[in-house]
Amino acid sequence: MLKITNLHANIGDKEILKGINLEVKPGEIHAIMGPNGSGKSTLSSVIAGREDYEITAGHIDFEGEDLSDLEADERAHKGIFLSFQYPVEIPGVTVTNFIKTAINETRKARGQEPMPANIMLKQMREKMGLLEIDSAFLSRSLNTGFSGGEKKRNEIFQMAMLEPKLAILDETDSGLDIDALRIVSNGVNKLKSDKNAIIVITHYQRLLDYIVPDFVHVLHQGRIVKSGDKSLAHELESKGYDWLKEEAAL
Amino acid sequence: MEALKDKLESSFLVLENELNGEAQSAVHALRREAFQRFLQMGFPSKRHEEWRYTNLKPILKPDYRIFPKEDTSVEFKDIKRFFLSDQDTYKLVFVDGVYSSWLSETTHQGFDVCTFSNMLHKYQDVSDAYFAKALPKDEALAAVNTAFAKEGAFIRIKKNITADKPVELLFVSTDHGHEIMTQPRNLVVVEENAEVTIIERHQSLSESAVLTNTATEIFALRSSRLNYYKIQNDNDTASLIDSTSIKQYRNSSVNMGTFSFGNKFVRNNLNFFLEEEHTESTLDGITIISEGQTVDHHTLVDHKVPNCYSDEMYKGIYDGNAKGIFNGKVMVHPHAQKTNAFQQNNNVLLTDKASIDTKPQLEIYADDVKCSHGCTIGQLDDEALFYMMSRGIPEKEGKALLLYAFANDALRNVKLPALRKRLNKQIANKLNVNLDFEL
């Protein structure tokens, strides 16, 4: 589904990603861990198509197609979803209207008719139940004045509505208390199927107790320095990152 | 400018000759006095502090006809689109400055929705009490309007009455193969504990230059409630100079909305005079203009007495080489304690050629007050745009949605659903996007 080959990316003159290789197949959950400043968020932004980064070498293929010439919205239309670490507040646009616009623009790009209002409403109700979201939430301005937990729940709610093939969850666990973490993780797990894939970007092993990864990769100084199964996450939790940094320095 | 001044001078003589008996009236004495003031002041130039950002010269240059020939060929179908849809309203329609009874829908049942000329003839007590009593004396164009004040809307909502329908004012200019200048004059009196909503539009049906120099005096008597909205969306050969002055009395509440999307040039002089305590005033504005357009807002909220509340919110979006001006003065007099006065002016420039001159002007001479002001000039938030695009919303729609949300705040006091719908649609049109919902 996703194939990243020797990816190098800069912001300004600074090289952040220095040769990433990663392959994600349908049905898989990958976790990307690593210390602060290792390039985790850059990697997610580059996949989603943020313009601030320049790809200097390598490429990203999604379902066999090179993504590099596609705008962020076109990538979304292909089924890529990025859950933001810091979801943006947009005063004046309600959650409902935002999701409605996102869904119908995506459908338009795929040559489909707009989703009928009653079906949209039904789906929203269903997915809100999944994430234990109150219906008053829908008429609030997007992320404006939301608590950290509400913002993250709103991200996963949008993911549920947009049904992406590949979801990248960037530090979705940050700012969540244990109950919110459980709700969000449950939501993600229920959306998971053998057709879609998830990349979980996180600092801590905690989230991976709920969303159990098939593969764990450790990112350090713009490279994946170690890959393994979920036991690697436990190892990191007990030993920290220092031993890997030392290993990488060798 | 001098040519137009001369022309107005000879036109004023013509007007006087046609008055016959009325020439001795108190109203005409005020006209004459106003005209003398205008002759002394002349048209304002850029040297004039209140006009330093706007050059009137090109607007005053065309050879305007002051008394256009009456055109009766306008039919309802020509102007239907300017009215609200799905909303029953009283209507006052003026064609080239002349009242059109067959296009209008008036009333005298419990309150008056009729013409200014009718008021002059029938209600001398009203003209004695209110005519030329609210507009400041030092505005040259308001003085011109007063000098030529003959026709326009007269709305009087009598004590304890809530008007059963909103009132729409429409001033149409038609094609004479010639430039024309009109001087509509409106008087609105909302009596004690009365309520009304009024919507005002000026529309040119002409290819030639049109200059509308309109003036409106509003009196919101005790405990009255007035919503007054101006839709300025005329074609690109039309210019509008609007002088509106409002006097508010105890416990009255006035919402004024100025929504500017069209015209070659618009100047709004909007003055609120708070005469008695415990009044509420809101001044909201949305300006969305593009290539070749100028909109100049000058507002004054004059807190003369204690315990009044005013809140002003003007939003502007400027594309192409559009030019915006916002000069918002709030004056708090020495004993106007416990004044609450808020003002904000937020602007987005979409190109390097677009410009906004914004000048918040707070003069506070009382010490126990709550006042704030703020102005911002910015571009669109890239992070918000990326967020939208990452959810599948294309750049163009994303930008429009952000601008829409940015401007939309200033519709906070538009309660009439048909008007909200109309304005939302106009905003979407102006942003060149089709959004299938109302925010």
Side-chain angles (χ1 to χ4, degrees):
Chain A
M1 178 185 278
L2 180 76
K3 192 159 192 271
I4 299 176
T5 317
N6 188 33
L7 182 69
H8 290 251
N10 287 13
I11 185 158
D13 288 338
K14 194 165 187 274
E15 188 173 45
I16 312 271
L17 301 181
K18 302 169 183 170
I20 303 269
N21 294 291
L22 179 68
E23 185 165 4
V24 179
K25 298 198 175 80
E28 292 178 351
I29 298 179
H30 289 245
I32 296 179
M33 302 181 75
N36 282 331
S38 57
K40 301 190 301 291
S41 284
T42 299
L43 179 61
S44 58
S45 292
V46 169
I47 298 171
R50 188 193 286 271
E51 282 182 355
D52 306 345
Y53 299 94
E54 190 197 347
I55 295 178
T56 51
H59 46 94
I60 309 172
D61 293 323
F62 184 71
E63 298 192 311
E65 189 185 351
D66 187 355
L67 289 182
S68 48
D69 287 337
L70 297 185
E71 299 280 349
D73 57 315
E74 295 168 312
R75 297 182 196 202
H77 300 156
K78 300 236 171 276
I80 295 175
F81 179 90
L82 170 64
S83 167
F84 278 47
Q85 183 178 359
Y86 304 108
V88 183
E89 298 193 358
I90 305 181
V93 180
T94 63
V95 173
T96 311
N97 283 334
F98 183 72
I99 291 179
K100 200 169 147 189
T101 309
I103 287 179
N104 284 335
E105 288 296 342
T106 299
R107 291 175 70 95
K108 193 161 95 189
R110 291 173 182 166
Q112 298 164 320
E113 290 295 307
M115 186 184 283
N118 57 338
I119 293 180
M120 176 113 45
L121 201 65
K122 191 168 157 266
Q123 286 203 8
M124 282 190 186
R125 286 218 186 93
E126 222 176 274
K127 311 276 157 109
M128 274 162 54
L130 192 67
L131 290 157
E132 301 181 26
I133 291 172
D134 190 82
S135 64
F137 185 80
L138 290 179
S139 51
R140 289 170 65 185
S141 275
L142 190 67
N143 294 324
T144 310
F146 284 22
S147 69
E150 284 175 325
K151 283 184 181 170
K152 295 301 170 72
R153 255 192 263 186
N154 184 27
E155 292 293 278
I156 304 306
F157 176 48
Q158 291 179 46
M159 171 183 158
M161 291 300 296
L162 289 164
E163 300 179 333
K165 291 178 189 159
L166 173 69
I168 305 163
L169 311 182
D170 188 2
E171 308 255 355
T172 295
D173 49 336
S174 69
L176 289 189
D177 61 33
I178 199 75
D179 289 331
L181 186 69
R182 182 183 50 77
I183 293 164
V184 164
S185 310
N186 271 344
V188 172
N189 286 330
K190 285 196 182 128
L191 298 170
K192 184 74 199 61
S193 76
D194 56 3
K195 304 241 169 15
N196 58 25
I198 296 171
I199 298 175
V200 182
I201 292 179
T202 183
H203 229 67
Y204 305 105
Q205 192 263 334
R206 189 176 72 150
L207 177 65
L208 305 180
D209 285 342
Y210 296 92
I211 303 173
V212 181
D214 303 299
F215 301 94
V216 175
H217 311 276
V218 181
L219 199 60
H220 177 55
Q221 291 184 345
R223 287 190 190 90
I224 290 177
V225 293
K226 197 165 184 73
S227 296
D229 60 15
K230 64 182 175 187
S231 63
L232 178 57
H234 288 282
E235 200 174 347
L236 286 168
E237 186 74 3
S238 57
K239 290 164 74 178
Y241 288 107
D242 286 348
W243 63 280
L244 272 173
K245 288 184 188 169
E246 283 160 24
E247 214 169 79
L250 291 174
Chain B
M1 273 164 75
E2 286 308 307
L4 184 58
K5 196 176 167 192
D6 291 348
K7 196 164 193 176
L8 287 168
E9 201 165 355
S10 55
S11 300
F12 190 71
L13 293 175
V14 174
L15 175 101
E16 290 204 302
N17 285 335
E18 288 172 354
L19 286 175
N20 301 324
E22 209 203 303
Q24 304 309 316
S25 68
V27 165
H28 193 64
L30 290 166
R31 284 197 193 111
R32 203 178 290 154
E33 184 263 332
F35 199 68
Q36 287 309 316
R37 266 191 286 122
F38 165 66
L39 289 179
Q40 277 163 19
M41 287 185 278
F43 286 113
S45 72
K46 288 190 85 168
R47 284 195 301 276
H48 194 291
E49 181 58 29
E50 301 299 323
W51 290 85
R52 52 184 286 215
Y53 301 109
T54 302
N55 185 6
L56 257 188
K57 258 187 198 164
I59 305 303
L60 300 175
K61 204 173 168 196
D63 184 19
Y64 293 110
R65 205 161 275 182
I66 309 293
F67 302 115
K69 262 213 295 216
E70 199 168 330
D71 186 318
T72 53
S73 66
V74 174
E75 292 177 46
F76 189 70
K77 65 172 174 49
D78 302 324
I79 55 170
K80 186 170 181 278
R81 66 183 187 278
F82 301 128
F83 294 115
L84 295 179
S85 33
D86 305 320
Q87 172 70 54
D88 196 9
T89 56
Y90 295 109
K91 295 175 178 67
L92 289 171
V93 181
F94 302 85
V95 179
D96 301 325
V98 178
Y99 173 61
S100 166
S101 60
W102 62 92
L103 296 172
S104 299
E105 199 185 325
T106 61
T107 185
H108 289 288
Q109 296 293 314
F111 52 97
D112 300 296
V113 175
C114 62
T115 64
F116 188 82
S117 58
N118 188 58
M119 181 275 297
L120 288 183
H121 293 131
K122 276 173 51 184
Y123 310 119
Q124 207 204 321
D125 56 326
V126 174
S127 65
D128 285 349
Y130 299 112
F131 176 65
K133 298 293 187 288
L135 286 163
K137 302 279 186 214
D138 58 352
E139 287 179 8
L141 286 136
V144 172
N145 180 288
T146 298
F148 287 88
K150 275 177 74 180
E151 194 55 294
F154 170 60
I155 298 163
R156 174 173 56 172
I157 312 299
K158 292 192 178 144
K159 190 173 171 177
N160 295 330
I161 287 183
T162 296
D164 57 338
K165 294 187 274 188
V167 182
E168 289 186 276
L169 312 182
L170 179 64
F171 298 85
V172 194
S173 303
T174 62
D175 205 331
H176 295 262
H178 204 283
E179 296 87 351
I180 62 167
M181 179 180 185
T182 61
Q183 322 263 4
R185 175 67 167 224
N186 306 315
L187 175 62
V188 177
V189 181
V190 193
E191 292 186 353
E192 212 168 304
N193 195 33
E195 179 171 347
V196 66
T197 293
I198 300 169
I199 298 144
E200 177 185 342
R201 289 186 80 141
H202 300 266
Q203 295 293 152
S204 167
L205 303 174
S206 169
E207 302 282 304
S208 310
V210 167
L211 174 59
T212 304
N213 178 40
T214 185
T216 302
E217 293 186 293
I218 297 171
F219 297 83
L221 306 191
R222 291 183 172 186
S223 303
S224 64
R225 296 164 302 280
L226 169 66
N227 298 302
Y228 200 110
Y229 307 108
K230 298 173 181 179
I231 303 179
Q232 302 177 334
N233 192 24
D234 212 343
N235 69 28
D236 59 7
T237 57
S239 296
L240 175 66
I241 298 171
D242 179 320
S243 306
T244 296
S245 284
I246 298 135
K247 285 197 172 187
Q248 273 190 257
Y249 298 86
R250 186 180 293 275
N251 291 326
S252 63
S253 149
V254 175
N255 295 321
M256 173 67 67
T258 308
F259 306 108
S260 316
F261 312 110
N263 293 76
K264 173 191 171 72
F265 171 85
V266 176
R267 164 74 176 225
N268 287 301
N269 292 320
L270 176 59
N271 303 307
F272 274 74
F273 299 105
L274 312 180
E275 303 290 323
E276 292 181 341
E277 296 185 38
H278 300 290
T279 60
E280 278 185 28
S281 321
T282 63
L283 299 76
D284 298 322
I286 296 176
T287 304
I288 307 177
I289 52 173
S290 43
E291 195 71 19
Q293 296 184 276
T294 299
V295 172
D296 177 350
H297 294 292
H298 268 63
T299 65
L300 165 69
V301 184
D302 199 18
H303 283 267
K304 299 190 202 182
V305 294
N307 294 310
C308 293
Y309 169 92
S310 70
D311 188 4
E312 182 167 14
M313 181 194 278
Y314 274 69
K315 303 265 186 168
I317 298 170
Y318 305 92
D319 201 356
N321 66 355
K323 185 173 158 61
I325 294 121
F326 174 81
N327 189 139
K329 191 190 268 191
V330 176
M331 179 74 110
V332 182
H333 291 262
H335 41 263
Q337 301 295 1
K338 306 280 180 198
T339 287
N340 282 297
F342 307 104
Q343 181 189 83
Q344 70 181 92
N345 172 232
N346 309 107
N347 303 286
V348 176
L349 300 177
L350 296 178
T351 70
D352 293 341
K353 286 189 198 139
S355 69
I356 168 79
D357 289 296
T358 174
K359 187 177 165 195
Q361 226 181 319
L362 270 70
E363 295 187 29
I364 302 169
Y365 300 102
D367 50 15
D368 185 14
V369 299
K370 257 190 224 158
C371 297
S372 71
H373 72 93
C375 68
T376 59
I377 301 170
Q379 279 88 33
L380 282 180
D381 179 357
D382 285 341
E383 183 65 14
L385 195 56
F386 174 61
Y387 185 72
M388 295 191 145
M389 289 175 74
S390 81
R391 301 293 141 94
I393 301 173
E395 187 171 357
K396 186 182 153 217
E397 280 73 15
K399 277 184 178 169
L401 197 55
L402 287 175
L403 290 172
Y404 208 48
F406 164 80
N408 191 265
D409 277 3
L411 292 182
R412 60 189 176 161
N413 293 308
V414 179
K415 303 282 172 356
L416 190 65
L419 181 62
R420 265 196 95 84
K421 203 170 153 191
R422 166 64 65 106
L423 288 168
N424 269 304
K425 210 169 149 191
Q426 246 148 15
I427 292 169
N429 279 350
K430 193 68 194 183
L431 296 173
N432 193 23
V433 68
N434 190 8
L435 296 169
D436 64 342
F437 57 79
E438 188 191 323
L439 288 168

